[in-house]
Amino acid sequence: MSKARTVVVTGGASGIGAATVQRFLDSGDTVIVLDLQPNPRAHRNIEVDLSKPSSIEAAAAQIGPIDVLCNVAGVSGGAPVPVVMAVNFLGLRLLTDLMADNITAGGAVVSVASTAGWYWRDHLDDVNRLIDTPDYTDALSLTSDLVTDSYHAYVRSKEAVIVWTSHAAQHYLGRFRVNSISPGPVETPLLPSFYESMGHEELDPLTKLAGGRNGRPEEIAATVHFLAGPEASWINGTDLVVDGGAEMAFSLQQPESVASTATTA
């Protein structure tokens, strides 16, 4: 049996986060949840608001050495623009940087992005402007120059997670691995808000191409668990798409002009 690890999971009170907590608990690991709400199954709960740097700093200060950081918390494109960018990317980045010295050698960071970030190459200049602005407040101010609505804030935030993951993997190379995963639509309490912000016309084709159903939280949690473990030791700076093959199939079916502008959940 492998040695028990200490694992931090953001957004661990519900949805993919709660499934991730359970997956690590089932492996005998000690799990700390960072969320606005507690998870009664966790060994420890720390309240945090990822849209507020002071809250992130206070939470990080309460945590000692860890082996794995799972950045799972997120909001949909139905939230206000600043909240979307703050929670989905800026707060994630700040927490990771604050926790970096606490992550044991050979540890791992796994962040949940989204297939909404599939076309990051088409927006790389804007994404790099965000990544190249290390200060939380300055980057949040920059957001208003890059996007004008919450839908595109969601897309850009997830693109930023994917690209930043590669940068972070190089920055922390030799200390711990950094990867992300990109789910498509997943059956969580947050899914209705994605249908509201993105529409059935965008999400339903993905469900069809995935085999007629959406992902399940435990399927995403299993991928997080794998990337955090020793079996994934040679995977670093990578985004792993977990959507039943839908996004690739969709892209291959589209004319180039359509595929280059499409965005998905």
Side-chain angles (χ1 to χ4, degrees), residues 24-261:
F24 282 101
L25 289 174
D26 291 343
S27 296
D29 297 315
T30 297
V31 182
I32 303 170
V33 166
L34 271 60
D35 205 328
L36 289 170
Q37 302 296 326
N39 181 330
R41 294 182 177 272
H43 292 91
R44 186 182 177 195
N45 288 280
I46 300 174
E47 184 176 348
V48 67
D49 184 343
L50 290 174
S51 70
K52 297 179 180 178
S54 60
S55 179
I56 298 169
E57 292 164 357
Q62 299 179 55
I63 302 172
I66 66 170
D67 301 290
V68 177
L69 170 61
C70 300
N71 292 308
V72 185
V75 297
S76 74
V81 170
V83 174
V84 172
M85 187 59 71
V87 173
N88 289 355
F89 174 58
L90 300 179
L92 177 157
R93 179 178 65 174
L94 177 59
L95 178 65
T96 303
D97 288 342
L98 289 171
M99 292 302 303
D101 287 342
N102 293 35
I103 300 174
T104 57
V109 174
V110 184
S111 302
V112 175
S114 166
T115 54
W118 181 266
Y119 297 103
W120 60 264
R121 295 167 183 82
D122 296 333
H123 312 119
L124 190 54
D125 287 346
D126 284 353
V127 171
N128 277 334
R129 287 181 65 190
L130 277 170
I131 293 172
D132 292 340
T133 307
D135 181 78
Y136 186 107
T137 303
D138 291 344
L140 190 59
S141 297
L142 176 62
T143 300
S144 60
D145 295 333
L146 301 178
V147 296
T148 58
D149 59 76
S150 296
Y151 173 92
H152 289 96
Y154 180 81
V155 171
R156 207 66 78 244
S157 71
K158 295 302 186 177
E159 292 172 338
V161 171
I162 293 170
V163 177
W164 171 82
T165 291
S166 180
H167 287 275
Q170 289 299 308
H171 182 73
Y172 296 114
L173 191 64
R175 296 172 54 188
F176 53 83
R177 295 178 298 109
V178 186
N179 290 293
S180 64
I181 69 168
S182 284
V186 180
E187 294 292 343
T188 71
L190 200 59
L191 186 59
S193 68
F194 282 106
Y195 281 112
E196 291 177 9
S197 61
M198 294 183 164
H200 282 272
E201 66 277 6
E202 184 167 331
L203 299 183
D204 287 352
L206 298 178
T207 302
K208 181 178 179 181
L209 290 168
R213 72 169 177 87
N214 295 322
R216 303 184 181 104
E218 59 269 23
E219 293 170 321
I220 311 306
T223 309
V224 173
H225 186 268
F226 164 70
L227 285 177
E231 297 87 353
S233 61
W234 199 234
I235 303 176
N236 194 27
T238 297
D239 181 65
L240 183 57
V241 177
V242 190
D243 71 340
E247 196 67 57
M248 178 63 80
F250 178 83
S251 296
L252 292 175
Q253 290 178 10
Q254 305 306 307
E256 184 177 353
S257 60
V258 175
S260 65
T261 57

